[in-house]
């Protein structure tokens, strides 16, 4: 494919992404569901969560050992009479007699009157007494109540996506359920008379529809609930019907195909009269783009070549959708190119498919370079499966030498 | 808590992890399920997948434009009669008359006889003819059949965890379903008379059971199917009954608590007679560990302090479970400490909870340092929610200055 100049009206990638993000950002204010903590993994807190109790709930032992008063062992060696045992789970409210020891298990309450714990392995224990070889400081191996968190302290901010460590904290303070945002809901409409579903026999001129399945997978992998995936022929009335169903059910609608300069551009033909802005963004692949608000619902119209669709999703939708879901930002790196990029279109950011090269002996293994995989063509969807990053070739570059530092974005 | 020397028998972390990995590695050979491609996101291919067809399936146009023979426009400007239109989805089998042009849409078949496509924006088009201003090369804007993938070419290796880009490729070649490994199945048994479920009223000496919920979340987040989460009192017969149910249903069993040096160590008491090896690993938290094979099923016994349980999972189980699920390795970094670590136990690797500090103006924002959050205590489970990494303090270090480079592992 030849490099071609961007049209004079082509918009910069970042500016167009800014428009999309502005339309999607209000989706941060979604309604909340109450879900049991064990089912809340990966959900996003709708409100700050504060601890309903002190943790530790009570003063307890950090070790299996013997609760004593430090002053009882100030002169050592010394033998102390054994005045009982407190297992974890015991109420442990019998006070420590002066000059005695009480055996305590890890997590068991410290008997009133004791101020330190001597680990079991540091003691010679007899039937009724223990011998201690050296002095101890008050507080040793004692966990004071409230030293992890106090009643009313913040456990996690609103907006936190709940990872196992948050689930552990919520469970430890005994919260049975939490309030989480419902996920962003998306609908997908693919278009094109040439597309047929997997499992069909291909007739001449037909290809399998991958965009619906691929966009649904990409949305699902980025915290979005896909409420419908539909396919429209190039007949405007059919597209319009599917569009109305989609905007009725979803917070955001994604379409693929029908946005370019052909004679049968069903998406553009239907959405432009509804106020849609269609035009070129200065990137390759994924140049032709459309953005419309239909009944208050943003409709993002991506071009139909499979790689164009996926790259459009990565560049324009994935960062904001991840932010809305409380997911960490897309990983980015700045790495040297292993090989030259011989040609890149003047005035367009090119997103090449690339693969990270990791240090063979690194520990941890960190990416040290990136290689281009597959070609630049927007139809090379099988080749894209071998990539793990997009290589972001700047708009002004028409070529890049081997070793040039480039930005890359994890797929 | 005071630094304490490791017991002479304490095993190095990497050696113990090696034992666990050797026991779990055979789980790579699991049975397979056939699942529809749209439901296969995140599943792991059980076999190599090869393309059942060429992609592109047929020679097609990369642009909306006009299919011509390059030789017809060798002398330009030139006007060519328009001999028809091929939309995407048309069979497009009418040959191009010599010296003529046929309008083609992106993805439409190239008419027999044509060898290049002139984009619509480069042509002056009339009703019945087009005018072309400059010569073209054969092959321009033509996608030849099979240039993405050929019939029989590998699309993805066995073991690949299916990301959206793989789903896109599988869909593009029309595969309706794929063979994927069933996930590793795990059972969790927590122990301890002091533990009560969320929502209960705490009586003196009791705490909420977080380990079951937290381990289930950690397993789920790392590609493991959790088949059961049960809780046992310190009564051996109850633990044994739950153990038998767990080993009957799961590929691997995780227990928490009951492994240390107290008087009521139900896990050790039941498993040691079954051949379990219980002892100290040279780490903090998480020192006391047990490993048993019961009826062919590995049983990993972690200590019961909530942070000890979670750190044990991170250090011993997560790397191999991710590998078994086809997930990428745990992210690791080598970063400078923001503050000193004043004390670390001689002879034990200490895993402190830490938080990455990212460059404020980085693009992409990369971690540039790490700070310790919460304390070293194994009970500080609420504090761990604020961490995003474990800081790996080497066994030989008894302190580290601010700025020292440390390895950190993403939680």
């Amino acid at each position: 494919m030849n490099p071609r100049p961007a049209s004079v009206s082509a918009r910069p990638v970042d500016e167009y992404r800014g428009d999309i993000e502005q339309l999607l950002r209000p989706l941060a204010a979604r309604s909340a569901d109450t879900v049991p903590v064990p089912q809340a993994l990966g959900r996003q807190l709708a409100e700050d969560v504060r601890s309903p109790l002190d943790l530790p709930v009570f003063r307890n032992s950090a070790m299996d050992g013997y609760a004593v008063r430090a002053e009882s062992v100030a002169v050592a060696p010394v033998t102390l009479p054994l005045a009982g045992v407190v297992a974890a789970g015991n109420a442990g409210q019998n006070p420590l007699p002066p000059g005695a020891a009480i055996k305590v298990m890890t997590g068991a309450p410290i008997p009133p009157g004791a101020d330190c714990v001597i680990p079991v392995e540091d003691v010679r224990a007899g039937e009724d007494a223990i011998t201690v070889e050296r002095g101890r400081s008050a507080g040793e191996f004692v966990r004071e109540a409230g030293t992890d968190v106090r009643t009313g302290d913040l456990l996690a901010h609103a907006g936190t996506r709940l990872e196992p460590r948050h689930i552990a904290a919520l469970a430890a303070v005994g919260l049975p359920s939490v309030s989480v945002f419902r996920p962003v809901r998306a609908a997908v409409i693919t278009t094109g008379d040439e597309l047929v579903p997997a499992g069909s026999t291909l007739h001449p001129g037909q290809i399998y529809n991958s965009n619906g399945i691929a966009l649904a997978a990409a949305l699902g992998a980025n915290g979005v609930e896909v409420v419908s995936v539909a396919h429209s022929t190039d007949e405007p009335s059919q597209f319009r019907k599917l569009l109305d169903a989609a905007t009725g059910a979803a917070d955001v609608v994604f379409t693929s195909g029908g946005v370019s300069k052909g004679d049968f551009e069903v998406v553009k033909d239907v959405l432009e009269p509804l106020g849609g802005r269609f035009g070129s963004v200065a990137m390759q692949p994924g140049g032709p783009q459309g953005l419309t608000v239909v009944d208050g619902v943003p409709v993002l119209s991506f071009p139909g070549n499979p790689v164009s669709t996926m790259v459009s999703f990565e560049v324009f939708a994935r960062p904001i959708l991840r932010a809305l879901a409380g997911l960490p930002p897309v990983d980015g790196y700045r790495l040297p190119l292993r090989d030259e990029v011989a040609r890149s279109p003047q005035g367009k950011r090119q997103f090449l498919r690339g693969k990270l090269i990791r240090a063979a002996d690194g520990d941890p293994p960190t990416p040290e370079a990136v290689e281009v995989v597959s070609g630049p063509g927007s139809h090379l969807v099988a080749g894209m499966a071998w990539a793990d990053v997009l290589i972001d070739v700047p708009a002004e570059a028409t070529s890049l030498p081997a070793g040039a530092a480039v930005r890359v974005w994890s797929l």
Side-chain angles (χ1 to χ4, degrees), chain A:
Chain A
M1 210 166 308
N2 287 358
R4 296 159 50 75
S7 74
V8 286
S9 64
R11 303 189 61 201
V13 169
D14 290 337
E15 184 183 308
Y16 187 66
R17 175 163 48 203
D19 289 355
I20 289 173
E21 293 187 350
Q22 204 177 334
L23 280 178
L24 296 190
R25 205 164 290 126
L27 295 178
R30 304 191 296 284
S31 60
D33 301 327
T34 298
V35 300
V37 167
Q39 272 99 67
L41 181 69
R43 301 295 297 269
Q44 193 186 9
L45 285 179
E47 52 195 31
D48 288 352
V49 178
R50 293 179 180 278
S51 184
L53 43 70
D54 284 1
L55 214 64
V57 176
F58 50 88
R59 197 174 185 230
N60 71 84
S61 177
M63 297 293 279
D64 297 319
Y66 296 87
V68 301
R69 279 193 77 81
E71 64 182 33
S72 308
V73 299
V75 180
V78 59
T79 296
L80 308 180
L82 198 51
V85 179
V86 192
N90 287 11
Q93 285 161 336
N94 293 336
L96 176 72
I102 289 181
K103 190 166 189 182
V104 289
M105 304 306 149
T106 306
I110 302 286
D115 63 8
C116 69
V117 173
I118 308 176
V120 70
E121 54 267 47
D122 291 357
V123 158
R124 274 184 294 127
E127 193 76 354
D128 301 316
I130 60 165
T131 301
V132 179
E133 300 292 341
R134 65 171 177 86
R136 297 284 165 163
S137 309
E140 270 186 63
F141 299 112
V142 172
R143 301 167 178 161
E144 299 293 343
T147 46
D148 185 11
V149 70
R150 288 192 182 281
T151 306
D153 279 358
L154 189 67
L155 283 174
H157 288 287
T160 301
R161 185 170 181 275
L162 295 171
E163 302 282 351
R165 63 185 185 273
H166 303 113
I167 299 288
L170 299 173
V173 299
L175 287 172
S177 60
V178 281
S179 176
V180 294
F181 289 123
R182 67 164 178 76
V184 169
R185 291 184 290 224
V188 175
I189 307 173
T190 57
T191 67
D193 284 350
E194 74 277 25
L195 302 182
V196 298
S200 315
T201 303
L202 288 182
H203 295 295
Q206 294 183 328
I207 61 172
Y208 290 113
N209 184 353
S210 64
N211 284 340
I213 295 169
L215 274 176
L219 288 161
N222 289 284
V224 176
E225 180 188 353
V226 179
V227 294
S228 63
V229 180
H231 178 68
S232 175
T233 62
D234 291 331
E235 169 55 40
S237 65
Q238 197 200 0
F239 178 71
R240 181 61 206 248
K241 207 169 132 190
L242 293 173
L243 180 72
D244 289 343
T247 54
D251 301 313
V252 55
V253 177
F254 294 86
T255 71
S256 73
V259 296
S260 193
K261 293 176 177 154
D263 291 353
F264 313 96
E265 304 291 3
V266 65
V267 171
K268 186 157 77 170
D269 293 349
V270 169
L271 288 172
E272 237 172 10
L274 301 177
R277 287 187 303 153
F278 284 76
S280 273
V281 175
M283 68 188 276
Q284 190 181 76
Q289 294 285 337
L291 190 53
T292 317
V293 178
V294 180
D295 297 334
V297 176
V299 179
L300 277 61
S301 297
F302 295 156
N305 282 313
V307 175
S308 303
T309 299
M310 294 297 275
V311 169
S312 298
F313 177 83
E314 293 286 329
V315 173
F316 297 124
R318 192 167 168 229
I320 178 76
L321 291 174
R322 288 182 71 83
L324 288 169
L327 288 163
V330 174
D331 278 338
Y333 308 87
R334 182 173 286 276
L335 291 172
L337 280 169
R338 197 192 61 172
D339 306 303
E340 69 164 350
V341 171
R343 291 203 295 193
S344 192
Q346 164 80 51
K348 289 185 185 181
R349 253 163 94 172
Q350 191 182 24
F351 292 94
L352 293 169
R353 278 68 79 195
K355 198 165 171 53
L356 297 177
I357 301 170
R358 292 181 187 269
D361 56 352
D363 179 20
T366 49
E368 56 180 18
V370 63
E371 63 178 316
V372 176
V373 296
S374 185
S378 59
H379 62 298
L380 300 171
V381 60
M384 187 167 180
W386 298 107
D388 53 15
V389 291
L390 289 179
I391 301 172
D392 185 347
V393 180
E396 63 278 12
T398 53
S399 67
L400 290 172
V406 285
R407 281 201 300 190
V408 305
W409 304 99
S410 282
L411 284 170

